[in-house]
Amino acid sequence: MSDPHGTPAFDRRLAELARSAAAVARPESPAAVRLRAGRRTVRRRIGTGALAVAVLGAVVAGGVLRPSFRDDVPPAVTPSPVTPPSSTPTPTMEAPSVTASPPSPAGTVGARPPDPTPGRCTTANLTVTLGSPDAASGHRSVAVVFRNSGSTSCRLTGYPGVDALGGDGRTLAHAERTPRGYLGGAARGARPPTVTLRPGGVASALVEAQGFRADGGPCTAYVRLLVTPPDDVRSVRLGWDTDSCGELEVHPVVPGVTGRSG
């Protein structure tokens, strides 16, 4: 029977036990201690960093991350949004404006107000007559009078047409239109006025002539005047008892009845 303690396997086992005992009995060198401590520190830091990363991920995922502030720095204030005013104005209620009309004077109830823009006077709504004749230094004059015989106002502006007729009805002269003559007329340098005639109102134009002919020829007296109101075509024949026979003139229409003015 063989001895188990003399086998090669037994010898190897004894050698390993001897090395282990020697290692335990031999103190560890300072370098080995520092190396082992450094490895533990590295492993601990690696573990701590992994833990921090995991915690940070959980915080971000949970929506609970909050910024940190220093004690002496106040947190930023986010201004509230300002709503711009509406471009549509708010309607306002106003009381209606009431204008009190003054009472009508006694006796004017239903009276027709004056015409704002009177039309022109025509032969149809005028009564045409001759005024009193005048004479001085060989000159003769008479006023042609226009009276508004209508029911509304009308206006006259400018010169009437005037022709002198002989006893046989023939036309002897056409009146020259001049602003002013020897015996009167409109103001010097003035433009012919516009005369508004209310019902019953009167205006006139002065007609002048001479009692002789400038060339010394025979004088055929004017017996009638053919008068046409300004801006009209219908004429009126008026008898003129005068010895006038030359230099027939007519002046513009003026308010009232004109005559000799010096």
Side-chain angles (χ1 to χ4, degrees):
M1 186 171 187
S2 60
D3 185 2
H5 297 285
T7 62
F10 182 75
D11 294 336
R12 288 195 298 273
R13 181 60 179 169
L14 286 178
E16 290 176 0
L17 291 174
R19 286 195 298 271
S20 298
V24 171
R26 187 174 59 251
E28 194 172 18
S29 63
V33 173
R34 287 195 300 270
L35 179 59
R36 189 169 60 255
R39 289 174 179 173
R40 286 197 300 270
T41 300
V42 171
R43 286 195 297 271
R44 186 171 58 252
R45 290 181 178 177
I46 291 175
T48 303
L51 178 61
V53 171
V55 172
L56 181 60
V59 171
V60 173
V64 297
L65 181 62
R66 295 292 186 271
S68 60
F69 300 96
R70 287 165 45 189
D71 293 339
D72 58 342
V73 178
V77 178
T78 302
S80 301
V82 179
T83 303
S86 176
S87 59
T88 303
T90 303
T92 57
M93 301 299 293
E94 297 183 0
S97 175
V98 179
T99 303
S101 300
S104 299
T108 61
V109 177
R112 177 178 296 179
D115 298 332
T117 54
R120 62 183 178 86
C121 300
T122 64
T123 306
N125 59 1
L126 290 174
T127 299
V128 186
T129 59
L130 293 180
S132 300
D134 194 9
S137 302
H139 295 269
R140 313 289 188 259
S141 70
V142 66
V144 178
V145 180
F146 302 96
R147 182 181 301 273
N148 183 1
S149 57
S151 59
T152 59
S153 298
C154 62
R155 54 186 172 81
L156 289 170
T157 305
Y159 297 84
V162 176
D163 293 336
L165 306 178
D168 56 1
R170 292 185 300 113
T171 300
L172 300 179
H174 299 287
E176 181 183 358
R177 297 179 176 183
T178 60
R180 187 175 179 85
Y182 184 83
L183 296 176
R188 297 185 185 279
R191 299 181 60 183
T194 296
V195 183
T196 299
L197 297 181
R198 294 184 177 182
V202 173
S204 62
L206 190 65
V207 176
E208 290 194 53
Q210 293 181 355
F212 56 90
R213 290 187 55 164
D215 58 4
C219 183
T220 304
Y222 305 146
V223 177
R224 293 181 180 84
L225 295 179
L226 185 67
V227 178
T228 306
D231 301 319
D232 201 0
V233 294
R234 295 178 59 186
S235 303
V236 176
R237 290 175 181 248
L238 304 172
W240 188 22
D241 185 11
T242 180
D243 60 353
S244 300
C245 61
E247 301 297 327
L248 186 64
E249 297 180 2
V250 62
H251 308 320
V253 174
V254 294
V257 179
T258 184
R260 183 177 179 180
S261 58

Coordinates of all heavy atoms in Angstrom, one line a residue, residues 45-115:
R45 N -15.3 56.7 -6.3 CA -15.7 57.9 -7.1 C -16.5 57.5 -8.4 O -17.4 58.2 -8.7 CB -14.4 58.7 -7.6 CG -13.7 59.4 -6.4 CD -12.5 60.1 -6.8 NE -11.9 60.8 -5.7 CZ -10.7 61.5 -5.8 NH1 -10.1 61.6 -7.0 NH2 -10.2 62.1 -4.8
I46 N -16.1 56.4 -9.0 CA -16.9 56.0 -10.1 C -18.3 55.7 -9.7 O -19.3 56.1 -10.4 CB -16.2 54.8 -10.8 CG1 -14.9 55.2 -11.4 CG2 -17.1 54.2 -11.9 CD1 -14.1 54.1 -12.0
G47 N -18.4 55.0 -8.6 CA -19.8 54.7 -8.1 C -20.6 56.0 -7.8 O -21.8 56.1 -8.1
T48 N -19.9 56.9 -7.1 CA -20.6 58.2 -6.7 C -21.0 59.0 -8.0 O -22.1 59.5 -8.0 CB -19.7 59.1 -5.9 OG1 -19.3 58.3 -4.7 CG2 -20.4 60.3 -5.4
G49 N -20.2 59.0 -9.0 CA -20.5 59.7 -10.2 C -21.7 59.1 -10.9 O -22.6 59.8 -11.4
A50 N -21.7 57.8 -11.0 CA -22.9 57.1 -11.6 C -24.2 57.4 -10.9 O -25.2 57.6 -11.5 CB -22.6 55.6 -11.6
L51 N -24.0 57.4 -9.5 CA -25.2 57.7 -8.7 C -25.7 59.1 -9.0 O -26.9 59.4 -9.1 CB -24.9 57.5 -7.2 CG -26.1 57.9 -6.2 CD1 -27.3 56.9 -6.5 CD2 -25.6 57.7 -4.8
A52 N -24.8 60.1 -9.1 CA -25.2 61.5 -9.3 C -25.9 61.6 -10.7 O -26.9 62.4 -10.8 CB -24.0 62.4 -9.3
V53 N -25.3 60.9 -11.7 CA -25.9 61.0 -13.0 C -27.3 60.4 -13.0 O -28.3 60.9 -13.6 CB -25.1 60.2 -14.0 CG1 -25.8 60.1 -15.4 CG2 -23.7 61.0 -14.2
A54 N -27.5 59.3 -12.3 CA -28.9 58.7 -12.2 C -29.8 59.7 -11.5 O -31.0 59.8 -11.9 CB -28.7 57.4 -11.4
V55 N -29.4 60.3 -10.4 CA -30.3 61.2 -9.6 C -30.6 62.4 -10.5 O -31.8 62.8 -10.6 CB -29.6 61.7 -8.3 CG1 -30.4 62.8 -7.7 CG2 -29.4 60.5 -7.4
L56 N -29.7 63.0 -11.2 CA -29.9 64.1 -12.1 C -30.9 63.8 -13.2 O -31.8 64.5 -13.5 CB -28.6 64.6 -12.7 CG -28.8 65.8 -13.7 CD1 -29.3 67.0 -12.9 CD2 -27.4 66.2 -14.3
G57 N -30.8 62.6 -13.8 CA -31.8 62.2 -14.8 C -33.2 62.0 -14.2 O -34.1 62.4 -14.9
A58 N -33.2 61.5 -13.0 CA -34.6 61.4 -12.4 C -35.2 62.8 -12.1 O -36.4 63.0 -12.3 CB -34.4 60.6 -11.1
V59 N -34.4 63.7 -11.7 CA -34.9 65.1 -11.4 C -35.4 65.7 -12.7 O -36.5 66.3 -12.7 CB -33.8 65.9 -10.7 CG1 -34.3 67.4 -10.6 CG2 -33.5 65.4 -9.3
V60 N -34.6 65.7 -13.7 CA -35.0 66.3 -15.0 C -36.3 65.6 -15.5 O -37.2 66.3 -16.0 CB -33.9 66.3 -16.0 CG1 -34.3 66.7 -17.4 CG2 -32.7 67.1 -15.5
A61 N -36.3 64.3 -15.5 CA -37.4 63.6 -16.0 C -38.7 63.9 -15.2 O -39.8 64.0 -15.7 CB -37.2 62.1 -15.9
G62 N -38.5 64.2 -13.9 CA -39.7 64.5 -13.1 C -40.1 65.9 -13.1 O -41.1 66.3 -12.5
G63 N -39.4 66.8 -13.8 CA -39.8 68.2 -13.9 C -39.6 69.0 -12.7 O -40.3 70.0 -12.5
V64 N -38.7 68.6 -11.8 CA -38.6 69.3 -10.5 C -37.3 70.0 -10.4 O -36.9 70.4 -9.3 CB -38.7 68.3 -9.3 CG1 -40.1 67.6 -9.3 CG2 -37.6 67.2 -9.4
L65 N -36.6 70.2 -11.5 CA -35.3 70.9 -11.5 C -35.6 72.4 -11.2 O -36.4 73.0 -11.8 CB -34.6 70.7 -12.8 CG -33.2 71.4 -12.9 CD1 -32.3 70.8 -11.9 CD2 -32.7 71.3 -14.4
R66 N -34.9 73.0 -10.3 CA -35.0 74.4 -9.9 C -33.7 75.0 -9.9 O -32.7 74.4 -9.3 CB -35.7 74.5 -8.5 CG -37.1 74.0 -8.4 CD -38.0 74.9 -9.2 NE -39.4 74.5 -9.1 CZ -40.0 73.6 -9.8 NH1 -39.3 73.0 -10.8 NH2 -41.3 73.3 -9.6
P67 N -33.5 76.2 -10.5 CA -32.2 76.8 -10.4 C -31.9 77.3 -9.0 O -32.8 77.6 -8.2 CB -32.4 78.0 -11.3 CG -33.9 78.3 -11.3 CD -34.5 77.0 -11.1
S68 N -30.6 77.3 -8.7 CA -30.1 77.7 -7.4 C -29.7 79.1 -7.5 O -29.2 79.6 -8.5 CB -29.0 76.8 -6.9 OG -27.9 76.8 -7.8
F69 N -29.9 79.9 -6.5 CA -29.5 81.4 -6.4 C -28.6 81.6 -5.2 O -28.8 81.0 -4.2 CB -30.8 82.2 -6.4 CG -31.7 82.1 -7.5 CD1 -32.8 81.2 -7.4 CD2 -31.5 82.7 -8.7 CE1 -33.7 81.0 -8.5 CE2 -32.4 82.6 -9.8 CZ -33.4 81.7 -9.6
R70 N -27.8 82.6 -5.5 CA -27.0 83.1 -4.3 C -27.9 83.9 -3.4 O -28.9 84.5 -3.9 CB -25.9 83.9 -4.8 CG -24.7 83.1 -5.5 CD -23.8 84.0 -6.2 NE -23.5 85.2 -5.5 CZ -22.8 86.2 -6.0 NH1 -22.5 86.2 -7.2 NH2 -22.5 87.3 -5.2
D71 N -27.6 84.0 -2.1 CA -28.4 84.7 -1.2 C -28.5 86.2 -1.5 O -29.5 86.8 -1.2 CB -27.9 84.5 0.2 CG -28.0 83.0 0.7 OD1 -28.8 82.3 0.1 OD2 -27.3 82.7 1.6
D72 N -27.5 86.8 -2.1 CA -27.5 88.2 -2.4 C -27.9 88.6 -3.8 O -27.9 89.7 -4.1 CB -26.0 88.7 -2.1 CG -25.0 88.0 -3.1 OD1 -25.4 86.9 -3.6 OD2 -23.9 88.6 -3.2
V73 N -28.4 87.6 -4.6 CA -28.8 87.9 -6.0 C -30.3 87.5 -6.0 O -30.7 86.4 -5.9 CB -28.0 87.1 -7.0 CG1 -28.6 87.4 -8.4 CG2 -26.6 87.4 -6.9
P74 N -31.2 88.5 -6.2 CA -32.6 88.2 -6.3 C -33.0 87.5 -7.6 O -32.3 87.6 -8.6 CB -33.3 89.6 -6.3 CG -32.3 90.5 -6.8 CD -31.0 89.9 -6.4
P75 N -33.9 86.6 -7.5 CA -34.3 85.9 -8.7 C -34.9 86.8 -9.8 O -35.4 87.9 -9.5 CB -35.4 84.9 -8.2 CG -36.0 85.6 -7.0 CD -34.8 86.3 -6.4
A76 N -34.7 86.4 -11.1 CA -35.2 87.3 -12.2 C -36.7 87.3 -12.1 O -37.4 86.3 -11.9 CB -34.7 86.7 -13.5
V77 N -37.3 88.4 -12.5 CA -38.7 88.6 -12.5 C -39.2 88.6 -13.9 O -38.7 89.4 -14.7 CB -39.2 89.9 -11.8 CG1 -40.7 90.0 -11.8 CG2 -38.7 89.8 -10.3
T78 N -40.1 87.7 -14.3 CA -40.6 87.7 -15.7 C -41.8 88.6 -15.8 O -42.8 88.4 -15.0 CB -41.0 86.3 -16.0 OG1 -39.8 85.4 -15.9 CG2 -41.5 86.2 -17.5
P79 N -41.7 89.7 -16.6 CA -42.9 90.6 -16.7 C -44.1 89.9 -17.2 O -44.0 89.1 -18.1 CB -42.4 91.7 -17.6 CG -41.3 91.0 -18.4 CD -40.7 90.0 -17.5
S80 N -45.2 90.3 -16.7 CA -46.5 89.7 -17.2 C -46.8 90.3 -18.6 O -46.5 91.5 -18.8 CB -47.7 90.1 -16.3 OG -47.4 89.5 -15.0
P81 N -47.3 89.5 -19.5 CA -47.6 90.1 -20.9 C -48.7 91.2 -20.7 O -49.6 91.1 -20.0 CB -48.1 88.9 -21.6 CG -48.6 87.9 -20.6 CD -47.7 88.1 -19.4
V82 N -48.5 92.2 -21.6 CA -49.4 93.4 -21.6 C -50.3 93.2 -22.8 O -49.8 93.1 -23.9 CB -48.6 94.7 -21.7 CG1 -49.6 95.9 -21.7 CG2 -47.7 94.8 -20.5
T83 N -51.6 93.2 -22.5 CA -52.5 93.1 -23.6 C -52.8 94.4 -24.2 O -53.1 95.4 -23.5 CB -53.9 92.6 -23.0 OG1 -53.6 91.3 -22.4 CG2 -54.9 92.4 -24.2
P84 N -52.5 94.6 -25.6 CA -52.7 95.9 -26.2 C -54.1 96.3 -26.2 O -55.0 95.4 -26.2 CB -52.2 95.7 -27.6 CG -52.3 94.2 -27.8 CD -52.1 93.6 -26.5
P85 N -54.4 97.6 -26.2 CA -55.8 98.0 -26.2 C -56.5 97.7 -27.5 O -55.9 97.7 -28.5 CB -55.7 99.6 -26.0 CG -54.4 99.9 -26.5 CD -53.5 98.7 -26.1
S86 N -57.8 97.4 -27.4 CA -58.5 97.1 -28.6 C -58.6 98.3 -29.5 O -58.8 99.4 -29.1 CB -59.9 96.6 -28.2 OG -60.7 96.4 -29.3
S87 N -58.5 98.0 -30.8 CA -58.5 99.1 -31.8 C -60.0 99.6 -32.1 O -60.2 100.6 -32.7 CB -57.9 98.6 -33.2 OG -58.6 97.5 -33.7
T88 N -60.9 98.8 -31.6 CA -62.3 99.2 -31.8 C -62.8 100.0 -30.7 O -62.8 99.5 -29.5 CB -63.2 97.9 -32.0 OG1 -62.7 97.1 -33.0 CG2 -64.7 98.3 -32.2
P89 N -63.1 101.3 -30.9 CA -63.5 102.1 -29.8 C -64.9 101.6 -29.2 O -65.7 101.1 -29.8 CB -63.7 103.5 -30.4 CG -64.0 103.2 -31.8 CD -63.2 101.9 -32.2
T90 N -65.0 101.8 -27.9 CA -66.2 101.5 -27.2 C -67.2 102.5 -27.5 O -67.0 103.7 -27.3 CB -65.9 101.4 -25.7 OG1 -64.9 100.5 -25.4 CG2 -67.2 101.0 -24.9
P91 N -68.4 102.1 -28.0 CA -69.4 103.1 -28.3 C -69.9 103.8 -27.1 O -70.1 103.2 -26.0 CB -70.5 102.2 -29.0 CG -70.3 100.8 -28.5 CD -68.8 100.7 -28.3
T92 N -70.1 105.1 -27.2 CA -70.7 105.9 -26.1 C -72.0 106.3 -26.5 O -72.3 106.7 -27.6 CB -69.8 107.0 -25.8 OG1 -69.6 107.8 -27.0 CG2 -68.4 106.6 -25.4
M93 N -72.9 106.4 -25.5 CA -74.3 106.8 -25.7 C -74.3 108.3 -25.4 O -73.9 108.8 -24.4 CB -75.2 106.1 -24.8 CG -75.2 104.5 -25.1 SD -75.7 104.1 -26.7 CE -77.4 104.6 -26.7
E94 N -74.8 109.1 -26.4 CA -74.9 110.5 -26.2 C -76.4 110.9 -26.3 O -77.1 110.4 -27.1 CB -74.1 111.3 -27.3 CG -72.6 111.1 -27.2 CD -71.9 111.9 -28.2 OE1 -72.6 112.6 -28.9 OE2 -70.6 111.8 -28.2
A95 N -76.7 111.9 -25.5 CA -78.1 112.4 -25.6 C -78.3 113.2 -26.9 O -77.4 113.9 -27.3 CB -78.4 113.2 -24.4
P96 N -79.4 113.0 -27.6 CA -79.6 113.7 -28.8 C -79.7 115.2 -28.6 O -80.2 115.7 -27.6 CB -81.0 113.2 -29.3 CG -81.6 112.7 -28.1 CD -80.5 112.1 -27.2
S97 N -79.1 116.0 -29.5 CA -79.0 117.4 -29.4 C -80.3 118.0 -29.8 O -80.8 117.7 -30.9 CB -77.9 118.0 -30.2 OG -77.9 119.4 -30.2
V98 N -80.9 118.8 -29.0 CA -82.2 119.4 -29.3 C -82.0 120.9 -29.4 O -81.5 121.5 -28.4 CB -83.3 119.1 -28.3 CG1 -84.6 119.7 -28.6 CG2 -83.4 117.6 -28.2
T99 N -82.3 121.5 -30.5 CA -82.2 123.0 -30.7 C -83.6 123.6 -30.7 O -84.4 123.2 -31.5 CB -81.5 123.3 -32.0 OG1 -80.2 122.7 -32.0 CG2 -81.3 124.8 -32.2
A100 N -83.8 124.4 -29.8 CA -85.1 125.1 -29.7 C -85.2 126.2 -30.7 O -84.3 127.0 -30.8 CB -85.3 125.6 -28.3
S101 N -86.3 126.1 -31.5 CA -86.5 127.2 -32.5 C -87.2 128.4 -31.8 O -88.1 128.2 -31.0 CB -87.4 126.6 -33.6 OG -86.8 125.5 -34.2
P102 N -86.7 129.6 -32.2 CA -87.4 130.8 -31.6 C -88.8 130.9 -32.0 O -89.2 130.4 -33.1 CB -86.5 131.9 -32.1 CG -85.9 131.4 -33.4 CD -85.7 129.9 -33.1
P103 N -89.7 131.4 -31.2 CA -91.1 131.5 -31.6 C -91.3 132.4 -32.8 O -90.5 133.4 -32.9 CB -91.8 132.1 -30.3 CG -90.7 132.7 -29.6 CD -89.4 131.9 -29.9
S104 N -92.2 132.2 -33.6 CA -92.5 133.0 -34.8 C -93.1 134.3 -34.3 O -94.0 134.3 -33.5 CB -93.4 132.3 -35.8 OG -92.8 131.1 -36.2
P105 N -92.7 135.4 -34.9 CA -93.3 136.7 -34.6 C -94.8 136.7 -34.9 O -95.2 136.0 -35.8 CB -92.6 137.7 -35.4 CG -91.3 137.1 -35.8 CD -91.6 135.6 -35.9
A106 N -95.6 137.5 -34.2 CA -97.0 137.5 -34.5 C -97.3 138.0 -35.9 O -96.6 138.9 -36.4 CB -97.6 138.5 -33.5
G107 N -98.2 137.3 -36.5 CA -98.6 137.7 -37.9 C -97.8 137.1 -39.0 O -98.0 137.5 -40.1
T108 N -96.8 136.2 -38.6 CA -96.0 135.6 -39.7 C -96.2 134.1 -39.8 O -95.4 133.5 -40.4 CB -94.5 135.9 -39.4 OG1 -94.2 135.3 -38.1 CG2 -94.2 137.4 -39.3
V109 N -97.2 133.6 -39.2 CA -97.5 132.2 -39.3 C -97.9 131.9 -40.7 O -98.8 132.5 -41.3 CB -98.7 131.8 -38.3 CG1 -99.0 130.3 -38.5 CG2 -98.3 132.1 -36.9
G110 N -97.1 130.9 -41.3 CA -97.4 130.4 -42.6 C -96.8 131.4 -43.7 O -97.1 131.2 -44.9
A111 N -96.0 132.4 -43.3 CA -95.5 133.3 -44.3 C -94.4 132.6 -45.1 O -93.6 131.8 -44.5 CB -94.9 134.6 -43.6
R112 N -94.3 133.0 -46.3 CA -93.3 132.4 -47.2 C -91.9 133.0 -46.9 O -91.8 134.2 -46.9 CB -93.6 132.6 -48.7 CG -92.6 132.0 -49.7 CD -93.0 132.2 -51.1 NE -94.3 131.5 -51.3 CZ -94.9 131.5 -52.5 NH1 -94.4 132.2 -53.5 NH2 -96.0 130.8 -52.7
P113 N -90.8 132.1 -46.7 CA -89.5 132.7 -46.4 C -89.0 133.3 -47.7 O -89.4 133.0 -48.8 CB -88.7 131.5 -46.0 CG -89.4 130.3 -46.6 CD -90.9 130.7 -46.6
P114 N -88.0 134.2 -47.6 CA -87.4 134.9 -48.8 C -86.7 133.9 -49.7 O -86.2 132.9 -49.2 CB -86.5 135.9 -48.2 CG -86.2 135.4 -46.8 CD -87.4 134.7 -46.3
D115 N -86.8 134.1 -51.0 CA -86.2 133.2 -51.9 C -84.7 133.2 -51.8 O -84.0 134.3 -51.8 CB -86.5 133.6 -53.4 CG -88.0 133.5 -53.6 OD1 -88.7 132.7 -53.0 OD2 -88.5 134.3 -54.5

